[in-house]
Amino acid sequence: MIKDNKAQVSLEYLLIFAVSLLLLIAFTLPIATIALEKTSDVSNSLNVKSEVSKLSNAISKVYAEGQGSKQSVYLDMNTDVSLRIHSSYIQTRLPLSDGSYKEIKIPHNSNFVSETLILNKGENIIIVEWPAGSEKMLIFKHL
């Protein structure tokens, strides 16, 4: 009579496969998590930079058109952002997932002294205006 060892070989194969799979998951899962966080940071910073660039273009356009001009800008933000608007640039610090900050600075032309504008997550309507007879431009969030 011949002894059959096929069941033992199948069981050993399954155990080796299961241990290999667990080791693979243990090493790749943390790397995948880090990659997803970095990708999310890049996506958020590109969105913020793009939206702030729209605002910068509107400010430059109102400044170029002079007194009496007005422009509305629709900004769709992925996160809450605080903008510091100076006479020659817009600046913000975007928090990243690792606790550091990404500094975003977009140039423009204007006669602002210094303003702070808070943009909320979602849609924001920003009005850039240079009233007739006024020396300074105005920027505010439409409610």
Side-chain angles (χ1 to χ4, degrees), residues 4-60:
D4 190 15
N5 289 331
K6 291 183 182 177
Q8 183 179 350
V9 172
S10 296
L11 182 63
E12 289 172 354
Y13 175 74
L14 286 174
L15 287 174
I16 290 171
F17 180 74
V19 168
S20 299
L21 191 61
L22 287 173
L23 287 173
L24 181 66
I25 290 171
F27 287 113
T28 58
L29 192 59
I31 293 171
T33 303
I34 292 169
L36 285 174
E37 288 174 354
K38 298 292 182 186
T39 303
S40 176
D41 287 343
V42 169
S43 174
N44 285 341
S45 62
L46 286 175
N47 172 264
V48 169
K49 188 171 184 176
S50 171
E51 297 300 306
V52 171
S53 182
K54 288 180 191 177
L55 180 60
S56 174
N57 289 339
I59 291 170
S60 293

Side-chain angles (χ1 to χ4, degrees), residues 55-73 109-112 127-131 136-138:
L55 180 60
S56 174
N57 289 339
I59 291 170
S60 293
K61 184 175 179 181
V62 169
Y63 183 71
E65 290 175 356
Q67 292 180 349
S69 61
K70 182 178 184 179
Q71 176 104 20
S72 297
V73 183
N109 295 321
S110 74
N111 62 2
F112 289 116
I127 309 296
V128 181
E129 181 179 16
W130 192 350
K136 297 290 180 189
M137 294 171 59
L138 302 174

